[in-house]
């Protein structure tokens, strides 16, 4: 995990929920949250005081943070939302929109690659803006903070002007902004613009202007995905990822070599994986390695390692390949998108099913992801109940460096132990 200097004041047992990006894959997070809602003690109406989201995970995070009721009610609302989604509620999928955007991109080549009217993108995501405006009451975020339900909420976006990752956060008055290499935290009142910026997948969705800067998907250049939660005062973190790579079931296995060169979608899929998955997995692996290192130190010597502090963590990630699930569901897409996916190789045979897994906002696929997330979390229900158990823990007010350490046996993915 990153070496940081949180400047927050003392807090009591600040649990953080960290939701990664991943487009349609974020439906998996909804299934995990559904299980958490069932496992949360009745005495805990809101188990996470800090909520951090990136890209599609930011949509889930802000809906939870803005909901006026209990955590269980918010998760139920989130489930209803995802199970009612279709591609056309996220981006326009008709022939005229798709071909029109392709012509605009081609026309930009005669204008130094710059659009004349609105930012360039292959897909028009104005339906997503309308949906978010309908279901997320941004004004409730500050109300939940003032009433003590929340300590802070943040969404991540990437600045095209500065080339750095920006964590826009809204929270308690004692929280301070931070700056590190290629990343910073900026206090603000969160709006639909911050959310749309966080979800603006490069080349697919248009960039968003906030102030004098243009921003894109928060997963891009996000070097330390868990860092915002720690800066905001988390003493324990619950991370929901969208990759199956951390499961030991898949370690050491290599897929068969393709008989053709990589398709456009296969190349794009790997770029998406690099943006949405690799940074989080690297941060978690660093966390695991530091935990093993600190576990090897005698207890009496731990005070000499100050200002390191303990950060309890739990991680849930898919136990099945989301690429394979997506490859079987491409047929449910509208005709124009089916043509686009098949012509670019975004299918199992084309090697680019990974790209399809991020854009397949259709119920047959989303429903399987929700069920899988619920199943994976319930497999670990005993550990999760322990993690969700209320307790009080003081957090030191200032740290020159900070690593995560699990203060109980590791709760990793749905299968097995952390990498050595």
């Amino acid at each position: 995990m990153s070496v940081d200097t949180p400047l927050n004041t003392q807090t009591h047992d600040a649990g953080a929920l960290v939701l990664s990006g991943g487009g349609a894959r974020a439906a998996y997070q909804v299934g995990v949250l559904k299980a958490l809602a069932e496992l949360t003690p009745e005495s805990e109406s809101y188990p996470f005081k800090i909520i951090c989201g990136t890209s599609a995970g930011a949509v889930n995070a802000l809906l939870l943070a803005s909901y006026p009721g209990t955590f269980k009610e918010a998760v139920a609302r989130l489930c209803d939302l995802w199970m009612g989604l279709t591609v056309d509620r996220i981006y326009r999928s008709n022939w005229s929109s798709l071909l029109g955007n392709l012509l605009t991109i081609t026309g930009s080549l005669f204008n130094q690659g710059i659009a004349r009217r609105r930012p360039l993108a292959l897909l028009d995501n104005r339906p997503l803006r309308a949906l978010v405006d309908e279901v997320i009451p941004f004004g409730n975020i500050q109300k939940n903070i003032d009433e003590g339900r929340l300590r802070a909420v943040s969404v991540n976006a990437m600045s095209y002007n500065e080339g750095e990752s920006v964590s826009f956060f809204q929270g308690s008055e004692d929280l301070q902004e931070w700056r590190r290499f290629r990343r910073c935290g900026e206090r603000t009142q969160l709006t639909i613009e911050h959310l749309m910026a966080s979800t603006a997948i490069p080349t697919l969705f248009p960039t968003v202007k906030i102030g004098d800067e243009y921003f894109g998907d928060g997963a891009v250049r996000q070097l330390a995905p868990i860092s915002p939660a720690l800066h905001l005062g988390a003493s324990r973190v619950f991370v929901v990822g969208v990759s199956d790579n951390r499961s030991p079931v898949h370690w050491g296995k290599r897929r068969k070599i393709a008989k053709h060169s990589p398709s456009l979608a296969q190349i794009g899929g790997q770029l998406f994986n690099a943006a949405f998955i690799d940074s989080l997995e690297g941060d978690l692996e660093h966390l695991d390695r530091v935990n093993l290192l600190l576990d090897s130190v005698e207890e009496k010597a731990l005070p000499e390692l100050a200002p390191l502090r303990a950060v309890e963590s739990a991680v849930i990630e898919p136990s099945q390949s989301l690429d394979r699930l997506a490859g079987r569901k491409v047929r449910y897409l509208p005709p124009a998108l089916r043509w686009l996916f098949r012509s670019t190789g975004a299918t199992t045979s084309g090697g680019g099913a990974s790209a399809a897994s991020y854009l397949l906002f259709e119920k047959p696929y989303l429903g399987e992801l929700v069920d899988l997330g619920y199943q994976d979390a319930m497999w670990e229900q005993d550990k999760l109940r322990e993690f969700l158990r209320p307790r009080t823990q003081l957090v030191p007010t200032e740290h020159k460096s900070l690593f995560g350490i699990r203060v109980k046996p590791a709760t990793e993915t749905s299968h097995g132990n952390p990498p050595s």
Side-chain angles (χ1 to χ4, degrees):
M1 191 171 293
S2 53
V3 180
D4 290 319
T5 309
L7 299 175
N8 51 283
T9 57
Q10 285 190 343
T11 63
H12 292 270
D13 186 36
L17 175 65
V18 178
L19 301 174
S20 66
R25 289 183 177 213
Y28 176 84
Q29 299 171 356
V30 178
V32 175
L33 292 171
K34 181 180 177 181
L36 284 183
E38 294 183 12
L39 299 174
T40 298
E42 292 296 331
S43 59
E44 285 286 292
S45 60
Y46 227 82
F48 300 106
K49 299 298 183 184
I50 299 166
I51 303 178
C52 302
T54 300
S55 193
V59 177
N60 293 339
L62 288 182
L63 192 147
L64 293 176
S66 63
Y67 196 80
T70 65
F71 177 71
K72 292 183 178 180
E73 292 170 341
V75 171
R77 178 71 181 93
L78 193 60
C79 287
D80 291 340
L81 172 65
W82 277 88
M83 293 312 297
L85 287 183
T86 62
V87 163
D88 290 321
R89 298 200 73 186
I90 306 299
Y91 53 89
R92 293 178 177 173
S93 61
N94 53 52
W95 285 104
S96 60
S97 177
L98 183 59
L99 295 177
N101 289 334
L102 285 172
L103 287 174
T104 300
I105 293 173
T106 303
S108 72
L109 300 179
F110 300 94
N111 190 39
Q112 298 181 340
I114 301 172
R116 295 182 182 274
R117 287 179 293 181
R118 62 190 300 264
L120 292 172
L122 179 61
L123 302 173
D124 183 349
N125 67 342
R126 278 179 287 190
L128 173 61
R129 177 181 285 270
L131 175 64
V132 167
D133 190 45
E134 173 189 341
V135 301
I136 299 181
F138 288 88
N140 282 350
I141 295 175
Q142 189 59 47
K143 182 179 179 181
N144 285 337
I145 292 171
D146 294 339
E147 293 179 352
R149 292 180 176 178
L150 281 177
R151 174 166 171 77
V153 58
S154 77
V155 299
N156 227 68
M158 186 270 291
S159 168
Y160 279 99
N161 299 67
E162 300 296 331
E164 65 181 6
S165 176
V166 182
S167 298
F168 294 105
F169 72 90
Q170 185 173 345
S172 302
E173 294 182 359
D174 61 302
L175 295 173
Q176 298 183 29
E177 297 181 343
W178 66 88
R179 177 165 290 278
R180 296 293 177 269
F181 176 71
R182 292 295 182 188
R183 53 194 171 90
C184 65
E186 181 177 317
R187 176 186 288 276
T188 189
Q189 182 173 339
L190 294 172
T191 66
I192 192 173
E193 302 302 326
H194 299 98
L195 179 52
M196 294 304 295
S198 184
T199 61
I201 302 175
T203 71
L204 294 182
F205 297 148
T207 59
V208 177
K209 189 175 183 180
I210 301 176
D212 295 327
E213 296 184 62
Y214 282 93
F215 290 86
D217 198 289
V220 180
R221 308 209 77 165
Q222 189 179 32
L223 302 178
I226 304 175
S227 173
L230 302 183
H231 278 290
L232 295 172
S235 59
R236 55 194 177 106
V237 294
F238 184 87
V239 182
V240 187
V242 293
S243 167
D244 59 10
N245 292 339
R246 279 172 54 84
S247 172
V249 173
H250 305 284
W251 295 351
K253 293 184 178 180
R254 291 183 61 85
R255 297 178 181 176
K256 295 181 179 179
I257 299 175
K259 297 181 180 179
H260 53 76
S261 63
S263 64
L264 286 176
Q266 188 172 2
I267 294 171
Q270 292 302 328
L271 293 177
F272 288 166
N273 291 341
F276 292 113
I277 293 174
D278 292 355
S279 293
L280 178 60
E281 290 189 338
D283 218 9
L284 289 171
E285 185 175 31
H286 195 178
L287 169 63
D288 289 331
R289 290 184 182 277
V290 171
N291 288 339
L292 292 174
L293 173 63
L294 293 176
D295 285 344
S296 66
V297 177
E298 293 184 6
E299 186 174 354
K300 63 181 181 180
L302 286 176
E304 299 177 8
L305 298 177
L308 299 180
R309 71 171 169 88
V311 177
E312 188 179 358
S313 65
V315 183
I316 295 291
E317 292 191 306
S319 59
Q320 296 182 31
S321 169
L322 303 193
D323 295 359
R324 292 193 183 96
L325 291 180
R328 297 196 298 265
K329 305 300 180 181
V330 171
R331 67 182 185 274
Y332 293 103
L333 288 168
L337 285 177
R338 283 204 307 272
W339 169 81
L340 177 64
F341 279 34
R342 287 171 178 167
S343 62
T344 58
T347 59
T348 300
S349 59
S354 181
S357 71
Y358 292 96
L359 296 171
L360 221 166
F361 290 93
E362 291 292 339
K363 187 173 180 178
Y365 175 60
L366 301 179
E368 283 203 30
L369 294 190
V370 172
D371 291 342
L372 179 62
Y374 179 83
Q375 170 188 285
D376 287 348
M378 293 305 281
W379 281 347
E380 300 285 4
Q381 59 181 291
D382 292 337
K383 293 179 181 179
L384 293 183
R385 280 198 178 95
E386 171 62 21
F387 183 86
L388 294 168
R389 178 180 56 84
R391 60 272 213 191
T392 300
Q393 178 178 338
L394 288 176
V395 179
T397 58
E398 184 174 352
H399 301 273
K400 294 181 179 179
S401 64
L402 177 64
F403 287 103
I405 174 175
R406 290 172 181 158
V407 295
K408 63 173 185 173
T411 305
E412 297 79 30
T413 62
S414 300
H415 303 277
N417 300 314
S420 59

